[in-house]
Amino acid sequence: MAKEVRELEHEEFPLAEKVWTHYRGQKADPARERIFGIFIDGTLAATARCTRHPGGLEMDCVFTLDEHRGHGYAREVVQMLLEECGSETIYIHSTLPLIEFYGSLGFEPIPEARLPESIRERFIFCFGGEMAGCNVAPP
């Protein structure tokens, strides 16, 4: 098995979008984003995305394809993203069951109100506008 961990080139962003069809069909924006991935035998198996918003950086699209889960690829790709983008605060949202995972990577829970507005507004679809209603929180 050949494994490669690296940042994707802009022309490779469609590979990430294909992975993300399993993750709410996210689209990539080369003007604002950096995407990191793990390739297994030449196939993109796991991703993490860092997006520049007016209020700061957000990490999302941490996703591992089902057939590649259980090998620590999400942790590995997030660690690379943090090494490359972590010179300033990175905000994330998390499903409630994954808060412990993100905590193990150094993220700390904050009140939802402390998220920059440009990041928080992405969750306006949540019940009543509160992230907990969507089973997510800013860890």
Side-chain angles (χ1 to χ4, degrees):
M1 169 186 77
K3 179 172 83 169
E4 181 181 19
V5 184
R6 64 177 173 81
E7 185 170 355
L8 277 67
E9 301 291 334
H10 289 169
E11 56 271 6
E12 294 176 304
F13 279 21
L15 297 174
E17 290 177 348
K18 186 175 178 184
V19 168
W20 298 339
T21 60
H22 305 281
Y23 183 75
R24 293 191 223 136
Q26 297 285 313
K27 296 294 181 188
D29 180 357
R32 301 182 318 126
E33 298 172 355
R34 295 177 70 183
I35 302 170
F36 299 87
I38 295 184
F39 290 81
I40 303 299
D41 294 328
T43 299
L44 185 59
T47 64
R49 171 172 72 178
C50 184
T51 302
R52 165 104 22 223
H53 294 278
L57 296 179
E58 176 191 22
M59 180 181 73
D60 73 341
C61 289
V62 176
F63 190 81
T64 304
L65 292 174
D66 288 343
E67 61 268 28
H68 295 286
R69 290 191 177 172
H71 301 287
Y73 297 152
R75 176 175 300 281
E76 196 170 347
V77 76
V78 168
Q79 287 173 326
M80 180 178 213
L81 182 149
L82 294 174
E83 289 169 11
E84 296 294 322
C85 301
S87 63
E88 62 185 278
T89 301
I90 298 174
Y91 296 93
I92 65 171
H93 60 277
S94 172
T95 59
L96 298 177
L98 290 176
I99 289 175
E100 184 176 333
F101 167 74
Y102 288 114
S104 74
L105 290 162
F107 287 93
E108 299 174 1
I110 62 171
E112 181 179 336
R114 284 195 35 218
L115 280 173
E117 185 62 31
S118 59
I119 295 172
R120 189 175 186 278
E121 70 187 7
R122 293 191 346 99
F123 295 90
I124 203 70
F125 64 87
C126 290
F127 308 123
E130 296 299 316
M131 290 181 163
C134 288
N135 196 36
V136 299

